[in-house]
Amino acid sequence: MPTQHDRTVPPTSGSPQRGLAATTFAALRRHRGTLAGAAVRIVGLCGLVGLLMTAAVFALAWPCFTRMRNQRIWYQQIEDPYLHDHTDLTRVALGALPFFLLLLCIGSAALQRVLAGGRSGLSRALERRRGVGGGVPRDCDRCSPCTRCAA
């Protein structure tokens, strides 16, 4: 059986079509401020949530640390070698790991959605809040010039 090659359909309009990379970089160039602002907010929010989760894990594991310290002091008083048992800390770390992975996944998905969406989603909502671009037609969301708004 001969190998079949995918053939691209020539554009029906007479103008040449831009490639994927050119379209992507054009969208990033046009909406740089909005995309960068949204990315900074998402990364900052995920960092803050991660910091709060770390503090919560330490607060929940504090009795384990206290017990380890008390055991070390007791073994030192009876002059015995102290070999600490780290299974409690391992349980706490393994219990917290899914929450950190979930935070990583949610943050990555939100960042991907904002950066891949261009003017859709969060950036469009930000423009509505600022009062910018309220009357722009929907087909202008593609980053190619149109006849309505001459973008």
Side-chain angles (χ1 to χ4, degrees):
M1 178 175 236
T3 305
Q4 294 181 353
H5 298 286
D6 292 333
R7 295 185 189 139
T8 58
V9 178
T12 55
S13 66
S15 63
Q17 300 290 324
R18 291 194 301 190
L20 178 66
T23 304
T24 302
F25 286 120
L28 289 174
R29 249 191 331 271
R30 280 189 182 172
H31 313 295
R32 183 178 323 156
T34 305
L35 292 174
V40 166
R41 279 189 295 278
I42 288 172
V43 170
L45 183 63
C46 287
L48 180 64
V49 170
L51 182 66
L52 291 174
M53 282 176 52
T54 303
V57 167
F58 271 109
L60 291 173
W62 193 253
C64 180
F65 291 126
T66 305
R67 193 179 73 237
M68 286 173 58
R69 188 190 72 208
N70 292 340
Q71 283 180 349
R72 183 191 56 83
I73 292 170
W74 184 73
Y75 277 111
Q76 193 173 24
Q77 287 174 353
I78 64 170
E79 296 178 358
D80 239 1
Y82 171 65
L83 298 173
H84 72 278
D85 183 22
H86 56 79
T87 56
D88 292 337
L89 287 178
T90 305
R91 278 191 225 136
V92 169
L94 289 177
L97 183 64
F99 296 109
F100 282 105
L101 291 177
L102 181 68
L103 174 66
L104 178 69
C105 292
I106 290 173
S108 298
L111 191 61
Q112 173 65 25
R113 177 172 169 89
V114 167
L115 294 179
R119 290 190 59 182
S120 63
L122 182 62
S123 58
R124 190 178 298 140
L126 291 172
E127 287 178 353
R128 261 189 257 123
R129 188 176 68 183
R130 292 183 193 141
V132 178
V136 177
R138 182 152 178 85
D139 63 343
C140 291
D141 289 342
R142 290 177 270 131
C143 290
S144 61
C146 70
T147 56
R148 290 187 195 173
C149 63

